[in-house]
Amino acid sequence: MNHIKQQRLEDTLRALCEELDHHLEDLYGERYPLHPNRLPRGRASSVFYDGLFSAGTMFTLGYGSKAGRGYIVDIDIRTLSKVAPEDRLEIETEAIRFIEERLPIHFPERELKVAKDGTVYKIVGDFSL
């Protein structure tokens, strides 16, 4: 069982990812056809299970990483079509901009930032309980 403060932190990250998912759907949701096993936006019980995007975070201790521990930002584009590299870059850039803008709103008491760590982006900073 998670500590209550840890659970609140992860609930807040989940809310941020839901906002990101809606934002990406608004901007790019019609750009590619959905994966055949994916419901159209707004048809599933959660934004994580419908629409073109699925955004989330996953904690990592950061062993062997320059950025250290933090939450990896995962943005999946749920399509069978080949996603053009320039589209992927545009979507990724907008997603990171959005997260950086929203971090102080969701976590006003914490010093957090987004860092590129190899091929992934991570939310790093003060995750103390």
Side-chain angles (χ1 to χ4, degrees):
M1 180 144 169
N2 283 344
H3 187 281
I4 189 70
K5 290 182 180 179
Q6 180 69 30
Q7 189 62 51
R8 283 188 196 132
L9 184 142
E10 292 187 8
D11 289 347
T12 303
L13 281 171
R14 189 173 304 110
L16 174 60
C17 288
E18 287 179 9
E19 284 182 28
L20 174 61
D21 190 282
H22 286 299
H23 180 70
L24 294 177
E25 291 287 347
D26 288 344
L27 292 177
Y28 309 109
E30 302 296 322
R31 194 169 283 191
Y32 290 93
L34 291 178
H35 187 285
N37 291 340
R38 194 93 168 150
L39 291 171
R41 181 181 185 190
R43 300 292 297 273
S45 61
S46 169
V47 299
F48 301 114
Y49 305 117
D50 64 17
L52 186 60
F53 297 96
S54 182
T57 59
M58 179 176 58
F59 183 76
T60 177
L61 290 171
Y63 296 131
S65 154
K66 291 181 181 174
R69 70 186 186 112
Y71 285 83
I72 294 173
V73 176
D74 184 31
I75 302 160
D76 290 328
I77 304 171
R78 304 299 182 130
T79 184
L80 292 178
S81 298
K82 182 168 174 39
V83 177
E86 59 273 11
D87 285 350
R88 188 172 301 278
L89 179 61
E90 179 185 353
I91 292 164
E92 180 180 276
T93 301
E94 178 57 24
I96 298 309
R97 185 208 63 75
F98 183 88
I99 292 170
E100 288 174 333
E101 174 186 283
R102 295 295 199 280
L103 278 173
I105 296 166
H106 285 274
F107 296 99
E109 73 287 356
R110 295 179 185 268
E111 295 274 336
L112 299 176
K113 66 179 183 174
V114 179
K116 180 124 176 147
D117 194 14
T119 60
V120 300
Y121 286 92
K122 276 197 241 181
I123 300 171
V124 296
D126 175 20
F127 290 107
S128 62
L129 299 180

